[in-house]
Amino acid sequence: MPKITPNLWFDTKALEAAEFYVSVFPNSKVNHVSYYGEGGPRPADTVLTVDFELDGQAYTALNGGPEFTFDEAVSFVIDCADQEEVDHYWSRLTADGGQESQCGWLKDKYGLSWQVVPAVIGELMTDPDTGRTQRAFAALMEMRKIDVAALLAAADKA
């Protein structure tokens, strides 16, 4: 399969956003920054693209202008092992102007949508006890940041 690299369109904050994401996720780095030249649609020597990695996954950030913005139709899922990881990513990505949504979704300060999901969600949503699954799902629908203990308590409530 060919390599797929998500390309994120920003107005002017591609480098700032890439540096922020690299600071949030382990094993991450900025690999390359390119700049507009003379005669381009943006002033010469302003950032054009940023190639970066988040834990080995390649991304490109582009300063393309204000014509396009992010919306919830595209989001990135963070698979978390436990509540501690959920809390870590939730607090980092909602900081400084990020916005909570529901069911583990949020928008960071750049408008990019994320789903911060603990591993227990997969287990609960595929539980052979459909009553348990339905109770967990109902509880999930009422949450913003996912609370693992509350989700398990709801699932186990008879």
Side-chain angles (χ1 to χ4, degrees):
M1 182 170 157
K3 180 178 170 186
I4 297 172
T5 303
N7 188 336
L8 307 173
W9 180 297
F10 295 88
D11 181 3
T12 61
K13 297 188 177 193
L15 181 57
E16 179 183 311
E19 289 173 340
F20 171 68
Y21 299 138
V22 164
S23 78
V24 170
F25 296 94
N27 307 314
S28 300
K29 62 184 176 179
V30 171
N31 292 321
H32 180 74
V33 179
S34 68
Y35 297 88
Y36 281 99
E38 295 295 331
R42 294 288 181 107
D45 298 323
T46 59
V47 173
L48 171 62
T49 63
V50 182
D51 295 322
F52 64 104
E53 293 178 29
L54 302 180
D55 200 19
Q57 168 64 52
Y59 293 82
T60 297
L62 164 74
N63 280 333
E67 294 83 5
F68 302 107
T69 57
F70 301 122
D71 67 31
E72 293 81 358
V74 173
S75 63
F76 294 107
V77 177
I78 306 169
D79 292 316
C80 298
D82 53 27
Q83 188 68 54
E84 184 179 353
E85 280 192 0
V86 168
D87 294 346
H88 168 77
Y89 290 113
W90 192 269
S91 66
R92 292 294 309 273
L93 291 169
T94 58
D96 301 322
Q99 300 172 350
E100 295 184 357
S101 188
Q102 67 180 49
C103 304
W105 289 56
L106 63 85
K107 276 190 179 184
D108 67 31
K109 61 186 173 182
Y110 301 102
L112 189 59
S113 292
W114 298 85
Q115 298 177 54
V116 184
V117 182
V120 73
I121 292 287
E123 297 164 20
L124 289 170
M125 294 303 117
T126 59
D127 193 305
D129 179 345
T130 58
R132 193 164 188 261
T133 298
Q134 290 171 359
R135 290 187 299 274
F137 185 75
L140 175 65
M141 295 303 291
E142 299 298 319
M143 295 179 182
R144 289 188 177 273
K145 178 177 76 171
I146 296 173
D147 180 330
V148 172
L151 201 61
L152 288 169
D156 294 334
K157 190 175 184 178

